[in-house]
Amino acid sequence: MGSDQDLVNQLVSKLSTAFKIRDLGEPGFFLGIETVKCNDEILLSQQRYMNDILKCAGTAKCKELSTPIFTSKTVVSNTTLYDDPTQYRSLAGALQYLTITRLDLSFAVNQLCQHMHAPTVSHWDQLKRVLRYVKGTVTFDL
């Protein structure tokens, strides 16, 4: 796929001399990423993947937020360990994959992933905040 079809054809021709290649046509939905053609552009969307994450977390009908992290300087920190670290790790990892098309989540998700070894109740609250932000921005694409 590219803007110059002649260059694309040359590249495919060169690759086919070294590898077995077959044309699968226009990309659609692959590895959780959907490609949507709009005029001469292609949008990359993980909307379906985002909805799956929200359903898995039980937050599909949660209240939306406009920011993924707290904007005030006072964040209450709780040192009590979260009782289901496997759930935390699973959702944080799912959010990490989401940053492929949602660069606005990169900082917040990076913060969450730094605590996978021993997530606290405060970290869980931060993760839920990111999920509420995702709920409000589910239509954002790259």
Side-chain angles (χ1 to χ4, degrees):
M1 181 184 313
S3 58
D4 186 339
Q5 194 58 43
D6 289 336
L7 287 175
V8 171
N9 292 338
Q10 287 177 12
L11 176 63
V12 169
S13 176
K14 287 181 182 179
L15 287 172
S16 67
T17 60
F19 304 101
K20 211 176 199 182
I21 294 179
R22 62 180 178 177
D23 186 2
L24 299 176
E26 292 285 324
F29 188 75
F30 184 68
L31 294 176
I33 301 173
E34 186 175 6
T35 57
V36 181
K37 230 177 172 180
C38 294
N39 301 326
D40 290 336
E41 299 176 338
I42 294 176
L43 295 175
L44 300 179
S45 173
Q46 287 183 293
Q47 187 171 350
R48 222 186 297 180
Y49 182 70
M50 284 184 259
N51 287 324
D52 289 345
I53 293 171
L54 293 170
K55 284 178 194 167
C56 180
T59 55
K61 297 184 185 209
C62 68
K63 185 178 175 187
E64 303 167 358
L65 288 175
S66 59
T67 61
I69 57 175
F70 295 104
T71 55
S72 66
K73 291 185 179 182
T74 55
V75 176
V76 179
S77 184
N78 187 333
T79 58
T80 305
L81 292 177
Y82 180 60
D83 61 347
D84 191 357
T86 302
Q87 180 187 31
Y88 179 92
R89 291 179 190 119
S90 175
L91 289 171
L95 287 170
Q96 192 172 31
Y97 184 70
L98 187 57
T99 62
I100 293 171
T101 61
R102 294 292 308 275
L103 303 176
D104 57 325
L105 295 173
S106 294
F107 179 78
V109 172
N110 178 279
Q111 294 292 314
L112 295 172
C113 289
Q114 290 181 26
H115 304 285
M116 282 200 189
H117 61 285
T120 65
V121 173
S122 295
H123 299 133
W124 175 248
D125 290 340
Q126 291 171 3
L127 189 140
K128 287 191 302 185
R129 182 179 180 90
V130 172
L131 289 171
R132 290 175 63 190
Y133 173 73
V134 166
K135 170 68 174 160
T137 59
V138 76
T139 58
F140 286 12
D141 300 321
L142 179 65

